[in-house]
């Protein structure tokens, strides 16, 4: 499991910023839940995005060149 985490970290070494507007109460609840699970909000959001892309059969690579391809 640690090896998988390290591989993902290496793949996501170059990052881009995503700004999300959210209700302050939801933000606080989300941050508190993440803390109880010893995760950062960024880690959880990245996993949510990976899961969403997978659910919709969208492939991507770590060095994206244009739009992702739907399988």
């Amino acid at each position: 499991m640690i090896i998988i985490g390290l591989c993902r970290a290496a793949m996501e070494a170059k990052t881009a910023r995503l700004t999300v507007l959210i209700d302050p109460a939801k933000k606080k609840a989300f941050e508190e839940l993440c803390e109880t699970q010893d995760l950062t909000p960024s880690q959880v959001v990245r996993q949510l995005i990976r899961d969403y892309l997978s659910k919709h059969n969208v492939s991507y690579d770590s060095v994206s060149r244009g739009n992702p391809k739907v399988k």
Side-chain angles (χ1 to χ4, degrees):
M1 188 128 162
I2 293 172
I3 294 173
I4 293 170
L6 292 174
C7 290
R8 283 188 184 147
M11 288 189 323
E12 296 178 355
K14 295 188 178 192
T15 59
R17 184 173 307 272
L18 174 67
T19 302
V20 178
L21 300 177
I22 186 171
D23 173 282
K26 287 184 187 101
K27 179 180 181 281
K28 183 177 186 222
F30 178 65
E31 289 172 336
E32 289 174 356
L33 177 58
C34 290
E35 187 174 337
T36 66
Q37 297 175 335
D38 197 26
L39 296 167
T40 67
S42 290
Q43 289 172 313
V44 175
V45 169
R46 284 192 296 267
Q47 184 62 53
L48 289 168
I49 292 170
R50 285 190 297 268
D51 292 347
Y52 188 76
L53 290 170
S54 177
K55 175 183 173 183
H56 293 281
N57 297 315
V58 175
S59 64
Y60 61 94
D61 58 21
S62 60
V63 183
S64 181
R65 293 181 187 94
N67 293 329
K69 298 185 184 197
V70 177
K71 292 180 182 176

